[in-house]
Amino acid sequence: NLNVAFRPVSFPDHHHFTASDFTNAKGLPVVMTAKDAVKCQHFAKDNWWYLKVEANLPQMLTAKILEHCKSFYSAQ
């Protein structure tokens, strides 16, 4: 626990961000996903941050996903 108070703001998936989306931040720090940070890099402020998220899937699930993908490839 970082003991940080925050106010979550949600945007729809694939949102096309503009600087006006962040007018309510009023100079406060902003934290977003790395994916969204790429979309905001042209107007981001020095106190805006992103979180790098990585998924660690169980080996069995990874194998099933790869098997499923290969079935599409072999069907072509």
Side-chain angles (χ1 to χ4, degrees), residues 2-71:
L2 298 175
N3 291 325
V4 175
F6 67 95
R7 185 185 68 197
V9 178
S10 298
F11 293 93
D13 201 20
H14 305 291
H15 181 70
H16 179 76
F17 289 99
T18 65
S20 64
D21 290 323
F22 298 92
T23 55
N24 289 333
K26 298 180 181 173
L28 294 171
V30 172
V31 178
M32 64 185 75
T33 65
K35 180 181 130 185
D36 291 339
V38 171
K39 299 175 187 178
C40 299
Q41 63 186 344
H42 300 296
F43 52 84
K45 308 294 182 202
D46 289 339
N47 64 341
W48 292 16
W49 305 92
Y50 68 88
L51 298 174
K52 183 178 177 182
V53 178
E54 294 181 13
N56 294 313
L57 302 175
Q59 187 175 6
M60 180 84 97
L61 178 58
T62 302
K64 286 184 178 189
I65 291 171
L66 289 173
E67 184 180 318
H68 186 70
C69 292
K70 288 178 185 177
S71 71

